[in-house]
Amino acid sequence: MKVLKFGGTSIKDADRIRNVLSIIGRTAQESDIIVVVSAIRKVTDLLLDAAVTASKGDAGYSKRLSEIETLHRGLVEDLITADGRKEVEEYLRKELNELGDVLHGVSLLRELSDKSRALIMSFGERFSALIISSYLRQEGLEASYADARNMIVTDTNHCDARVDMKASAKRIKAWFKEAKGIQVVTGYIGTAPDGTTTTLGRGGSDYSATIIGSALGADEIQVWTDVDGFFSADPKRVRDAYVIPFISYGEAMELSHSGAKVLHPYSVHPAMKSGIPITIRNSYNPDAEGTHIGGADKNDERAERPVTGLSSINNVVLLTLSGSGMIGVPGIASRLFSCLARHMINIIFISQASSEQSISLVVNLAQAEKARRVLEEEFSPEITARQVESLAVRKRIAIIAVVGNNMSGHPGVSAHLFETLGKNGINVIAVAQGANEMNISFVIDNQDEDKALNCIHESFFLSRRKVHVFIAGTGTIAKSLMGQIRDHSLTLRKEMNLDVVVSGMANTRMKVFRNDGIDLDTWENALEPRDDGKTIGDYVAGIKARNLHNTIFVDCTASGDVAESYPDLLASNISVVTANKLGMAGSWKLFETIRSAQQSSNARFLYETNVGAGLPIINTLNDLKNSGDRIIRIEGVLSGTLSYIFNELRKGGKFSEIVRKARAAGYTEPDPREDLSGADFARKFLILGRELGYRLNYEDIDCESLVPENLRGEMSVEAFLEELGSVDSDYEARISKAAERDMTIAYTGEISEGKARISVNMLPVSNPVAGLNGTENMVVFTTDRYLDTPLVVKGPGAGGEVTAGGVFADILRIAGYLV
Ligand code: ADP
Ligand code: ASP
Ligand code: MG
């Protein structure tokens, strides 16, 4: 014999009820069955709403009532043919009248007791079981309506009643002894000893099914719902959650008590006691295997995995009683819990540190105010005597539970869990782990709930990990970066098990957000005109609001405003990768703010491409420093444009013509004076100097401008290039003079002893700088270890592709840290 329970979504309309018929029909061919049904979807909510409205004396409840009526009458019309319809309609009318009377009574009294509330809410299941039993009968099955109030006996806690298992079992057996054919039983409802109607708490139809199944020793209890089974986490919150094929009673119990709504928390216990398997099946996909809930011994194929599933409860309230007067005083905890028990307040979570200075507990929002009041009363002598501080109340929190049989004796689970949370900047407010080691629960802020679920889920269950990238800028570097991420994504998946998901992109006019990733081929079309204030602050606010796990902000702009946002991003535990120099080469104040934000953040900040684009300069420098080498001097050429000009000059050519040629080839800024001033070069040296620990500002870099002094006033680019010819002979003369001594000239920088200088220098032709080609950059590190033969890094120091490559490498470095 099997018990088949159908939830509200499985019978939400006539089509779904027809679908249920086919499931019932098929199963009834193989075994005896009992059907338990919930109310039609949303009906219980409508009933509750009607009750509350009526209790305010608001006649609006009748609108709800007629909604309920229309819904059920519609079902009857749709499902039941003319022959049987009259009888069902007659019965339905009687029930609706009764409901109308009760609501009317409530509205007159303006009082909604739990007793009335439970009675009102019981109608949903009464309607649905009535209609479905008639429909099954019409379709040729021998089925009849069974009111569970004849079977399930409870206490008088009307809205969340405890079941008297013994008395219920007796009545259930008696009922089924007499019953013939398929009984369609109302879920969710029961009777108190005084004959009043009770309910088993929201979602209680699952419980009804297991109570009946276990009383009758069923072979299986099937819970038919709208998802493929018991998932590793709520599939509505965690996209990558998957169906758990087998889960033990204990695990299912822990998970459902901690918020996994797929099963009512109490429903596992009766089945477990009688050793009856529960299966969770999808009525929308009846061919799916579903989840099998049974004894832990069948668990061995998953023995490797310590954690089975995650669940969460949100919008609950944390109460903390603390004070030095609690230390070593026996009976405090006992008074606390007895007081709450006396007032029927349910505690969801408890945590006490061994210092005994404080006890934290979590209760439902609906009971929080009452809990606060009664506890303050209980402890008022201690509060007055200042032995206990008044009770701290923290609202809008969530509890996450991490559950698994195999956690026990599996070291490292907590470490891994809290590391993952820490890296994502999720603050853990309180923690509790039972000594059975099956459940680690912790309290966090409500707003971090989804982020926490997703990052924990990913780190415990998935081999493939994700980072969410938000890009600022849509220019050359961003374009190349998007191309590189696209071209490399398959390899990343295969070799690093990593998905780089670009979840946002913006410039000053356009933006796009897609949590699951912007299409890397068509992203340009996805950009939409911005409807916010069009500032970087607005974009950052959008990123923060998404609160995704493993988030990296990537700055592909050259904007000072964007650089100003790094401290805020880091403070929000969002890692930053930047190709924009205006942060690290910005004012000393900005630099310091970024550094300190970085130190206090769990997020990372990388800017390798600030100096020499994709060349490994900052990393090399840090590796040297961190491994204990002493850097004596850094020299080099860190401007592609100026490198080109001097490399050409050495081959023989006129300075002004070379500048024109460089400009035509796109090696200079549109206004070549910007390059010739050495400003960009100086910023890179400023960054290197600061990296070495020197407190330097831009003004401290002694930089020789190659814009002749007499040409520094206002003039057009053309006019400037025209006039620049005046220095040609000077450069020619310097080169030939140097050549006489086997030397040449180059525009180079040097940092040593806290001083940075950039100028045109004479150097031996054997110097590696003299051998540079095209726009190549070069940095020469002279250190204690690299003294006679300095360490040289050389290569192209600019360009969209190489810069994007460096940015990409920084993203992957952070991904490596995060996952
Ligand atoms: P029914 O109406 O069938 O009783 P419920 O809405 O009570 O359905 O329960 C099913 C819902 O439970 C799913 O749609 C899903 O969103 C939610 N849920 C929460 N946690 C889990 C989980 N771990 N596995 C499956 N579903 C879950
Ligand atoms: N109809 C009830 C509710 O909505 C019981 C159930 O669906 O299991 O809570
Ligand atoms: Mg349910």
Side-chain angles (χ1 to χ4, degrees):
M1 191 266 288
K2 292 179 179 169
V3 178
L4 279 66
K5 179 260 166 176
F6 295 94
T9 39
S10 297
I11 51 171
K12 72 171 183 196
D13 54 32
D15 275 345
R16 296 317 305 167
I17 295 177
R18 289 189 188 98
N19 169 66
V20 160
L21 167 73
S22 80
I23 296 171
I24 291 175
R26 226 178 308 145
T27 321
Q29 283 174 0
E30 310 157 354
S31 67
D32 289 343
I33 63 167
I34 295 169
V35 174
V36 175
V37 292
S38 293
I40 309 292
R41 192 175 77 113
K42 289 217 176 116
V43 169
T44 313
D45 291 332
L46 283 171
L47 287 164
L48 178 59
D49 194 25
V52 173
T53 314
S55 72
K56 291 177 185 149
D58 180 344
Y61 77 83
S62 54
K63 207 169 142 239
R64 292 274 166 275
L65 184 61
S66 63
E67 249 177 272
I68 293 167
E69 176 168 356
T70 313
L71 195 154
H72 291 98
R73 286 202 192 280
L75 283 180
V76 173
E77 248 168 64
D78 212 337
L79 290 168
I80 317 283
T81 53
D83 293 348
R85 196 183 286 171
K86 212 160 159 247
E87 190 193 343
V88 189
E89 276 177 343
E90 178 61 16
Y91 199 97
L92 191 61
R93 194 180 52 75
K94 271 198 350 227
E95 293 277 275
L96 282 162
N97 283 346
E98 188 189 331
L99 172 61
D101 289 346
V102 182
L103 284 168
H104 183 60
V106 168
S107 81
L108 288 178
L109 290 167
R110 297 198 182 193
E111 182 188 76
L112 182 62
S113 64
D114 278 358
K115 207 184 268 183
S116 324
R117 189 193 296 254
L119 178 61
I120 293 168
M121 288 173 82
S122 75
F123 279 90
E125 273 69 11
R126 290 154 64 179
F127 296 143
S128 64
L130 172 72
I131 296 171
I132 291 168
S133 59
S134 309
Y135 172 61
L136 295 181
R137 233 172 12 253
Q138 169 189 294
E139 296 302 314
L141 294 169
E142 189 188 355
S144 45
Y145 170 70
D147 189 329
R149 289 176 296 177
N150 297 311
M151 309 174 209
I152 294 178
V153 184
T154 71
D155 66 4
T156 52
N157 188 14
H158 286 88
C159 293
D160 198 6
R162 292 300 86 107
V163 174
D164 178 339
M165 289 294 176
K166 236 166 133 188
S168 301
K170 217 165 126 194
R171 290 214 198 163
I172 291 166
K173 282 183 191 140
W175 180 274
F176 281 93
K177 208 165 157 203
E178 298 296 318
K180 283 201 193 62
I182 302 170
Q183 298 294 297
V184 180
V185 186
T186 54
Y188 183 52
I189 65 179
T191 315
D194 62 1
T196 50
T197 299
T198 57
T199 65
L200 308 182
R202 295 304 304 267
S205 302
D206 304 324
Y207 193 21
S208 312
T210 61
I211 295 165
I212 296 171
S214 83
L216 297 173
D219 298 306
E220 181 187 354
I221 298 156
Q222 298 180 349
V223 173
W224 290 86
T225 183
D226 63 344
V227 288
D228 272 347
F230 212 122
F231 278 70
S232 49
D234 184 350
K236 293 201 178 100
R237 290 181 173 277
V238 179
R239 239 191 106 140
D240 300 323
Y242 55 83
V243 176
I244 309 168
F246 178 88
I247 178 168
S248 72
Y249 290 123
E251 289 167 325
M253 206 146 44
E254 293 279 348
L255 285 167
S256 60
H257 271 284
S258 313
K261 184 184 164 218
V262 65
L263 212 52
H264 184 270
Y266 298 129
S267 60
V268 180
H269 191 255
M272 179 170 81
K273 255 185 99 183
S274 331
I276 301 169
I278 304 175
T279 45
I280 312 283
R281 304 284 299 270
N282 189 353
S283 69
Y284 290 69
N285 181 19
D287 294 331
E289 287 277 321
T291 296
H292 183 97
I293 306 174
D297 47 323
K298 302 199 188 67
N299 204 357
D300 40 12
E301 75 258 29
R302 292 181 308 108
E304 290 298 299
R305 182 166 278 171
V307 177
T308 305
L310 309 176
S311 54
S312 62
I313 305 175
N314 57 29
N315 224 1
V316 285
V317 179
L318 180 78
L319 301 171
T320 304
L321 188 71
S322 59
S324 49
M326 290 164 59
I327 303 172
V329 180
I332 296 259
S334 138
R335 272 170 63 202
L336 181 89
F337 296 128
S338 320
C339 167
L340 293 174
R342 258 196 326 275
H343 292 92
M344 308 290 282
I345 292 164
N346 187 31
I347 305 171
I348 318 175
F349 172 104
I350 305 168
S351 155
Q352 180 186 16
S354 58
S355 72
E356 301 179 40
Q357 278 246 32
S358 71
I359 303 179
S360 293
L361 41 97
V362 174
V363 297
N364 277 320
L365 180 61
Q367 293 192 304
E369 184 42 38
K370 186 169 161 196
R372 188 195 58 77
R373 190 164 36 79
V374 299
L375 287 177
E376 282 189 346
E377 265 162 37
E378 173 71 33
F379 290 98
S380 79
E382 284 85 353
I383 292 172
T384 317
R386 306 254 170 121
Q387 288 160 338
V388 166
E389 289 161 27
S390 65
L391 202 65
V393 179
R394 183 159 177 174
K395 288 190 179 165
R396 285 179 287 280
I397 56 147
I399 302 176
I400 311 272
V402 177
V403 172
N405 271 342
N406 298 329
M407 277 191 333
S408 97
H410 205 295
V413 175
S414 301
H416 184 61
L417 172 66
F418 293 115
E419 187 191 348
T420 305
L421 293 170
K423 282 179 176 169
N424 275 284
I426 298 168
N427 181 40
V428 176
I429 302 166
V431 184
Q433 178 185 6
N436 67 3
E437 294 186 47
M438 238 182 102
N439 181 335
I440 303 175
S441 296
F442 56 91
V443 175
I444 56 174
D445 210 277
N446 247 351
Q447 64 179 14
D448 286 329
E449 183 187 9
D450 280 2
K451 183 176 177 179
L453 286 171
N454 277 282
C455 70
I456 301 168
H457 188 269
E458 197 176 286
S459 77
F460 276 101
F461 297 116
L462 303 182
S463 49
R464 172 143 353 122
R465 313 290 294 277
K466 243 186 234 162
V467 289
H468 296 102
V469 169
F470 291 86
I471 299 176
T474 54
T476 325
I477 299 174
K479 277 199 182 90
S480 300
L481 178 63
M482 289 300 264
Q484 291 180 10
I485 296 175
R486 178 196 58 210
D487 297 344
H488 205 51
S489 62
L490 262 179
T491 321
L492 281 180
R493 282 188 183 179
K494 265 202 250 148
E495 287 173 11
M496 282 177 75
N497 259 319
L498 182 72
D499 260 335
V500 176
V501 180
V502 180
S503 298
M505 238 182 149
N507 58 29
T508 48
R509 289 159 293 109
M510 315 277 277
K511 76 164 188 244
V512 53
F513 279 123
R514 298 262 192 288
N515 289 3
D516 297 327
I518 301 165
D519 188 291
L520 296 171
D521 282 313
T522 58
W523 61 271
E524 275 165 294
N525 303 330
L527 287 164
E528 286 164 3
R530 289 178 67 161
D531 52 4
D532 55 10
K534 299 191 171 65
T535 65
I536 183 63
D538 295 306
Y539 182 44
V540 170
I543 297 171
K544 285 199 224 163
R546 272 160 181 80
N547 206 15
L548 299 176
H549 68 289
N550 298 343
T551 294
I552 306 174
F553 176 87
V554 179
D555 183 0
C556 297
T557 73
S559 147
D561 286 346
V562 179
E564 298 270 350
S565 72
Y566 304 158
D568 179 26
L569 286 158
L570 292 166
S572 306
N573 288 294
I574 296 172
S575 293
V576 175
V577 169
T578 177
N580 174 3
K581 286 184 266 299
L582 298 183
M584 295 316 271
S587 67
W588 181 256
K589 186 160 168 258
L590 177 61
F591 173 79
E592 270 198 319
T593 319
I594 297 173
R595 274 277 186 254
S596 77
Q598 191 188 353
Q599 270 152 18
S600 52
S601 171
N602 290 311
R604 293 281 159 112
F605 177 68
L606 295 181
Y607 46 94
E608 176 59 78
T609 52
N610 279 194
V611 180
L615 299 177
I617 294 170
I618 309 248
N619 277 318
T620 305
L621 177 55
N622 280 316
D623 285 349
L624 293 170
K625 256 177 21 188
N626 296 339
S627 63
D629 202 352
R630 190 177 62 96
I631 290 141
I632 300 166
R633 192 164 55 243
I634 300 177
E635 297 155 282
V637 175
L638 279 173
S639 157
T641 318
L642 294 163
S643 177
Y644 174 82
I645 292 170
F646 281 85
N647 298 342
E648 290 299 303
L649 214 50
R650 281 194 295 275
K651 288 186 203 159
K654 288 196 182 347
F655 187 80
S656 63
E657 275 167 24
I658 297 168
V659 173
R660 269 183 202 279
K661 224 164 78 188
R663 181 167 184 256
Y667 297 156
T668 67
E669 296 294 324
D671 184 345
R673 281 170 290 192
E674 286 178 27
D675 300 286
L676 293 176
S677 74
D680 184 60
F681 194 153
R683 276 198 203 98
K684 294 173 192 167
F685 260 70
L686 173 61
I687 294 173
L688 291 179
R690 285 175 171 179
E691 210 62 27
L692 289 176
Y694 301 126
R695 187 187 171 125
L696 293 173
N697 270 309
Y698 182 76
E699 301 72 47
D700 300 325
I701 312 292
D702 179 3
C703 175
E704 176 187 349
S705 170
L706 301 188
V707 180
E709 231 162 290
N710 58 335
L711 301 183
R712 286 184 195 167
E714 284 278 324
M715 70 170 76
S716 70
V717 174
E718 249 332 294
F720 167 75
L721 287 171
E722 208 53 51
E723 297 286 326
L724 193 59
S726 60
V727 299
D728 290 350
S729 56
D730 182 34
Y731 281 103
E732 270 166 48
R734 284 164 85 173
I735 289 195
S736 45
K737 202 166 149 218
E740 286 166 17
R741 295 162 55 195
D742 246 355
M743 293 180 93
T744 183
I745 61 168
Y747 187 70
T748 61
E750 179 183 325
I751 308 176
S752 60
E753 289 166 3
K755 294 241 155 36
R757 288 168 299 272
I758 300 167
S759 56
V760 180
N761 286 306
M762 270 227 264
L763 37 93
V765 286
S766 59
N767 187 303
V769 168
L772 287 177
N773 274 309
T775 58
E776 280 171 347
N777 280 16
M778 174 185 274
V779 174
V780 181
F781 295 99
T782 305
T783 73
D784 279 350
R785 288 184 200 141
Y786 294 92
L787 194 57
D788 296 334
T789 312
L791 175 65
V792 174
V793 179
K794 173 180 136 178
E801 280 298 315
V802 289
T803 308
V807 168
F808 196 9
D810 274 350
I811 293 175
L812 295 180
R813 239 170 247 130
I814 294 181
Y817 156 76
L818 286 173
V819 306

